[in-house]
Amino acid sequence: MIWRICCIAVLAVLGHAFAWANGPDDVFRRARVSMVKVVAAGAEGRTFFGSAVALPDGNLVTNCHVTRVAQRINLMQGDFSGNVLAQADDVAHDLCRLSLESPHTHPASLRDSRSLNIGETVYAVGFNRGLGLTYQSGQ
């Protein structure tokens, strides 16, 4: 289930940021420019796939289970590609902050998760198993 909702801690805050959107398709269209595909190569030749969300400070956040033990992390989205210089992890929350050679240019609009209300619609957007970008909604 974790791979389905990669970065949900960050993406859950998108609800109000896109409250003026016309529906789920519009939310997806607006959010996808902030999503990046993560390909992490481990020491034993194993490859891990995931998603990352661009932050306003130029860094990205992803799930630590994707990148924590990686020897090399590559990021891809359309014309954008980059290598990770460093990562800081919060293993307890399964989140890793990725520092890049050059910042991503489309940061997500964020909202404090403490302002979410019970029953409010939230969206999870990510690269499902390293394939295409998908999204799901929930409450």
Side-chain angles (χ1 to χ4, degrees):
M1 182 166 147
I2 291 175
W3 56 266
R4 286 180 160 193
I5 54 174
C6 181
C7 302
I8 191 65
V10 172
L11 292 176
V13 299
L14 292 174
H16 269 278
F18 297 116
W20 42 266
N22 293 325
D25 292 340
D26 197 30
V27 170
F28 177 74
R29 184 177 55 77
R30 293 173 189 275
R32 72 179 177 191
V33 298
S34 301
M35 299 302 303
V36 177
K37 181 189 237 181
V38 177
V39 180
E44 299 170 2
R46 188 168 175 200
T47 301
F48 301 88
F49 297 96
S51 305
V53 179
L55 300 174
D57 66 3
N59 292 310
L60 294 134
V61 67
T62 190
N63 291 118
C64 279
H65 71 264
V66 174
T67 62
R68 193 170 47 119
V69 297
Q71 299 297 309
R72 189 180 75 249
I73 304 168
N74 295 335
L75 307 169
M76 296 173 258
Q77 180 210 51
D79 293 337
F80 172 79
S81 65
N83 294 312
V84 173
L85 297 176
Q87 68 177 317
D89 59 2
D90 178 352
V91 178
H93 293 100
D94 192 31
L95 295 173
C96 282
R97 179 185 212 98
L98 308 176
S99 299
L100 309 175
E101 295 170 340
S102 58
H104 190 275
T105 58
H106 300 286
S109 298
L110 303 178
R111 174 179 154 208
D112 190 323
S113 61
R114 292 174 290 196
S115 69
L116 290 173
N117 297 307
I118 294 172
E120 186 172 342
T121 301
V122 294
Y123 298 90
V125 180
F127 288 93
N128 191 351
R129 296 183 183 178
L131 301 173
L133 194 59
T134 63
Y135 76 104
Q136 295 179 324
S137 63
Q139 295 179 329

